[in-house]
């Protein structure tokens, strides 16, 4: 899946990976010391991750992510090796937005990225926390309306324990 941040990441990753491969090729075809030959291997591996691996890791992460909406919370359960649970209280939740494709698939983001939506995907390295979101879900507008209704209802009900009059 391509994101707006890939406008920067794809050219950068191709330059990084290309230079790392050029370095390794040049070093292995010269009489360079063993240290020089080993030095470039981590850079080649990072380049391979940036060019192709990050897409596979993101798809794998999405396959192991579950979303839920209750009358009080938004719940996101994710993680490949270590399961994480993110719970957002509807009463305390601020802004949320919908980005939708023509086929009805879309993403619902909760909160506002400091870097702006275009560059929010730059933090897609493993272990880096992004804004909570329902990512590439079917019938995104329908889910967005469910969340909007639950959010509105949460703001119009009494908190538990509050006295009337």
């Amino acid at each position: 899946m391509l994101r707006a941040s890939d406008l920067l990441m794809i050219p950068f990753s191709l330059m990084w990976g290309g230079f790392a491969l050029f370095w390794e090729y040049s070093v292995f075809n010269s009489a360079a010391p063993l240290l020089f030959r080993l030095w470039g291997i981590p850079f080649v591996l990072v380049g391979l991750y940036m060019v192709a691996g990050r897409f596979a890791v993101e798809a794998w992460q999405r396959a192991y992510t579950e979303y839920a909406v209750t009358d009080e919370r938004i719940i996101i359960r994710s993680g490949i090796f270590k399961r994480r649970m993110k719970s957002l209280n509807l009463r305390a939740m601020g802004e949320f937005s919908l980005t939708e494709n023509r086929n009805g698939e879309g993403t619902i983001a909760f909160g506002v990225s400091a870097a702006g939506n275009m560059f929010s995907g730059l933090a897609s390295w493993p272990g880096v926390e992004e804004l909570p979101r329902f990512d590439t879900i079917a019938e995104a507008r329908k889910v967005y309306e469910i969340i909007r209704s639950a959010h509105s209802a949460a703001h119009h009900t009494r908190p538990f324990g509050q006295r009337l009059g």
Side-chain angles (χ1 to χ4, degrees):
M1 184 178 93
L2 294 176
R3 300 184 187 280
S5 61
D6 288 323
L7 289 171
L8 296 174
M9 281 301 294
I10 289 174
F12 177 77
S13 66
L14 291 173
M15 287 188 298
W16 177 290
F19 180 77
L21 287 172
F22 171 75
W23 169 274
E24 280 300 294
Y25 177 79
S26 299
V27 167
F28 272 90
N29 287 329
S30 69
L34 178 63
L35 178 63
F36 278 35
R37 292 176 185 210
L38 297 176
W39 181 259
I41 292 173
F43 293 95
V44 169
L45 294 175
V46 168
L48 290 172
Y49 175 79
M50 287 193 304
V51 169
R54 65 193 176 98
F55 295 110
V57 169
E58 184 181 354
W60 195 20
Q61 285 176 330
R62 281 196 321 269
Y64 286 91
T65 300
E66 299 166 330
Y67 307 112
V69 179
T70 73
D71 59 343
E72 295 180 5
R73 306 196 157 285
I74 300 293
I75 302 167
I76 303 170
R77 197 170 110 185
S78 63
I80 297 171
F81 302 112
K82 182 179 176 185
R83 300 296 281 167
R84 292 182 311 272
M85 181 92 67
K86 181 85 172 181
S87 177
L88 305 171
N89 186 326
L90 285 170
R91 285 185 188 279
M93 193 170 70
E95 295 182 38
F96 54 99
S97 62
L98 168 67
T99 306
E100 186 179 22
N101 298 347
R102 288 187 197 116
N103 66 358
E105 187 177 84
T107 297
I108 301 170
F110 304 99
V112 179
S113 169
N117 289 336
M118 180 174 174
F119 302 107
S120 63
L122 289 175
S124 62
W125 289 84
V128 176
E129 184 131 355
E130 293 185 355
L131 284 177
R133 64 182 180 218
F134 286 9
D135 204 10
T136 61
I137 58 172
E139 300 184 47
R141 181 161 303 279
K142 182 178 176 183
V143 175
Y144 179 80
E145 291 303 326
I146 291 169
I147 294 168
R148 203 165 63 95
S149 295
H151 183 253
S152 179
H155 283 282
H156 291 96
T157 57
R158 271 187 309 116
F160 181 74
Q162 184 178 345
R163 293 183 54 184
L164 291 175

